[in-house]
Coordinates of all heavy atoms in Angstrom, one line a residue:
I29 N 101.0 -43.4 -10.9 CA 101.9 -42.3 -11.3 C 101.5 -41.6 -12.5 O 101.5 -40.3 -12.5 CB 103.3 -42.9 -11.5 CG1 103.8 -43.4 -10.2 CG2 104.2 -41.9 -12.2 CD1 105.1 -44.2 -10.3
P30 N 101.0 -42.2 -13.7 CA 100.8 -41.3 -14.9 C 99.7 -40.3 -14.7 O 99.6 -39.3 -15.5 CB 100.4 -42.4 -16.0 CG 101.0 -43.8 -15.5 CD 100.8 -43.6 -14.0
Y31 N 98.8 -40.4 -13.7 CA 97.6 -39.6 -13.6 C 97.7 -38.6 -12.5 O 96.7 -37.9 -12.2 CB 96.4 -40.5 -13.6 CG 96.3 -41.4 -14.6 CD1 96.7 -42.7 -14.5 CD2 95.8 -41.0 -15.9 CE1 96.6 -43.6 -15.6 CE2 95.7 -41.9 -17.0 CZ 96.2 -43.1 -16.8 OH 96.2 -44.1 -18.0
I32 N 98.9 -38.6 -11.9 CA 98.9 -37.6 -10.7 C 98.7 -36.2 -11.0 O 98.0 -35.4 -10.4 CB 100.4 -37.8 -10.0 CG1 100.4 -39.1 -9.3 CG2 100.7 -36.6 -9.1 CD1 101.9 -39.4 -8.7
T33 N 99.3 -35.8 -12.1 CA 99.2 -34.3 -12.5 C 97.7 -34.0 -12.9 O 97.2 -32.8 -12.4 CB 100.1 -34.0 -13.6 OG1 101.5 -34.2 -13.3 CG2 99.9 -32.5 -14.1
V34 N 97.1 -34.8 -13.6 CA 95.8 -34.7 -14.1 C 94.9 -34.5 -12.9 O 93.9 -33.6 -12.7 CB 95.2 -35.6 -15.0 CG1 93.7 -35.5 -15.3 CG2 96.1 -35.7 -16.3
Y35 N 95.0 -35.5 -11.9 CA 94.2 -35.5 -10.6 C 94.5 -34.1 -9.7 O 93.6 -33.6 -9.2 CB 94.7 -36.7 -9.8 CG 93.8 -36.9 -8.6 CD1 92.5 -37.4 -8.7 CD2 94.3 -36.6 -7.3 CE1 91.7 -37.6 -7.5 CE2 93.5 -36.9 -6.3 CZ 92.4 -37.4 -6.3 OH 91.4 -37.5 -5.3
A36 N 96.0 -33.8 -9.7 CA 96.2 -32.6 -8.9 C 95.5 -31.3 -9.5 O 95.0 -30.6 -8.7 CB 97.7 -32.5 -8.9
V37 N 95.5 -31.3 -10.8 CA 94.8 -30.0 -11.3 C 93.3 -30.1 -11.3 O 92.7 -29.0 -10.8 CB 95.4 -29.9 -12.8 CG1 94.6 -28.8 -13.6 CG2 96.8 -29.6 -12.8
N38 N 92.8 -31.4 -11.6 CA 91.3 -31.3 -11.8 C 90.6 -31.5 -10.4 O 89.4 -31.1 -10.3 CB 91.0 -32.4 -12.7 CG 91.4 -32.1 -14.2 OD1 92.4 -31.5 -14.3 ND2 90.7 -32.4 -15.1
N39 N 91.2 -32.2 -9.5 CA 90.4 -32.5 -8.3 C 90.9 -31.9 -7.0 O 90.2 -31.4 -6.2 CB 90.6 -34.0 -8.1 CG 89.8 -34.8 -8.9 OD1 89.8 -34.7 -10.2 ND2 88.9 -35.8 -8.5
V40 N 92.3 -31.7 -6.9 CA 93.0 -31.1 -5.7 C 92.8 -29.6 -5.8 O 92.9 -28.9 -4.9 CB 94.4 -31.6 -5.5 CG1 94.9 -31.1 -4.3 CG2 94.4 -33.3 -5.5
G41 N 92.8 -29.1 -7.1 CA 92.8 -27.6 -7.3 C 94.1 -27.0 -7.3 O 94.2 -25.8 -7.1
I42 N 95.1 -27.7 -7.7 CA 96.5 -27.1 -7.8 C 96.5 -26.4 -9.2 O 96.0 -26.9 -10.2 CB 97.6 -28.2 -7.9 CG1 97.4 -29.1 -6.6 CG2 98.9 -27.7 -8.0 CD1 97.6 -28.3 -5.3
D43 N 97.0 -25.2 -9.2 CA 97.1 -24.5 -10.4 C 98.2 -25.0 -11.4 O 99.2 -25.5 -10.8 CB 97.6 -23.0 -10.1 CG 97.6 -22.0 -11.3 OD1 98.4 -22.3 -12.2 OD2 96.7 -21.1 -11.3
P44 N 97.8 -25.1 -12.6 CA 98.8 -25.9 -13.5 C 100.3 -25.3 -13.5 O 101.3 -25.8 -13.6 CB 98.2 -25.6 -14.9 CG 96.8 -25.6 -14.6 CD 96.7 -24.8 -13.3
H45 N 100.3 -23.9 -13.1 CA 101.5 -23.3 -13.1 C 102.4 -23.5 -11.8 O 103.6 -23.2 -11.8 CB 101.4 -21.7 -13.2 CG 101.0 -21.2 -14.6 ND1 99.8 -21.0 -14.9 CD2 101.7 -20.9 -15.7 CE1 99.6 -20.7 -16.2 NE2 100.8 -20.5 -16.7
D46 N 101.7 -24.2 -10.9 CA 102.2 -24.6 -9.6 C 102.8 -26.1 -9.7 O 103.5 -26.5 -8.8 CB 101.5 -24.4 -8.4 CG 101.1 -23.1 -8.2 OD1 102.0 -22.2 -8.3 OD2 100.1 -22.8 -7.6
I47 N 102.4 -26.8 -10.9 CA 103.0 -28.2 -10.9 C 104.5 -28.4 -11.0 O 105.0 -29.3 -10.4 CB 102.4 -28.8 -12.3 CG1 100.8 -28.9 -12.0 CG2 103.0 -30.1 -12.5 CD1 100.3 -29.8 -11.0
P48 N 105.2 -27.4 -11.5 CA 106.8 -27.6 -11.4 C 107.2 -27.6 -10.0 O 108.2 -28.4 -9.6 CB 107.2 -26.4 -12.1 CG 106.3 -26.0 -13.1 CD 105.0 -26.3 -12.5
F49 N 106.6 -26.9 -9.1 CA 106.9 -26.9 -7.6 C 106.8 -28.4 -7.0 O 107.5 -28.8 -6.2 CB 106.1 -25.9 -6.8 CG 106.5 -24.5 -7.2 CD1 105.6 -23.7 -7.8 CD2 107.7 -24.0 -6.9 CE1 105.7 -22.4 -8.1 CE2 108.1 -22.7 -7.2 CZ 107.0 -21.9 -7.8
V50 N 105.6 -29.1 -7.5 CA 105.4 -30.4 -7.0 C 106.5 -31.3 -7.4 O 107.1 -32.1 -6.6 CB 104.1 -31.0 -7.8 CG1 103.8 -32.4 -7.4 CG2 103.0 -30.1 -7.2
Y51 N 107.1 -31.2 -8.6 CA 108.2 -32.0 -9.1 C 109.5 -31.7 -8.4 O 110.4 -32.4 -8.2 CB 108.2 -32.2 -10.5 CG 107.1 -32.9 -11.1 CD1 105.9 -32.5 -11.4 CD2 107.3 -34.5 -11.4 CE1 104.8 -33.3 -11.9 CE2 106.2 -35.2 -11.7 CZ 105.1 -34.6 -12.1 OH 104.0 -35.4 -12.5
L52 N 109.6 -30.3 -8.3 CA 110.9 -29.8 -7.7 C 111.0 -30.4 -6.2 O 112.1 -30.8 -5.9 CB 110.8 -28.3 -7.7 CG 112.0 -27.6 -7.2 CD1 113.2 -27.8 -8.1 CD2 111.8 -26.0 -7.0
A53 N 109.9 -30.2 -5.4 CA 110.0 -30.8 -4.1 C 110.3 -32.2 -4.0 O 111.0 -32.8 -3.2 CB 108.7 -30.4 -3.3
G54 N 109.4 -33.0 -4.8 CA 109.6 -34.4 -4.9 C 111.1 -34.7 -5.3 O 111.6 -35.8 -4.7
G55 N 111.6 -34.1 -6.3 CA 112.9 -34.5 -6.9 C 114.0 -34.2 -5.8 O 114.9 -35.0 -5.7

C-alpha cells in the first residue's frame, strides 16, 4: 500500500495530477 502512488507515477505512467482520481474511484 505505501508505495502504490510512487509506482503509479514512475512505472505505470500516471500523471501526478491524475492521482486524486485514483483515490476518488477507490474510495
Side-chain angles (χ1 to χ4, degrees):
I29 292 172
Y31 305 97
I32 287 177
T33 300
V34 176
Y35 186 77
V37 172
N38 293 37
N39 289 51
V40 183
I42 305 301
D43 189 292
H45 290 91
D46 289 332
I47 292 298
F49 294 112
V50 175
Y51 287 89
L52 185 65

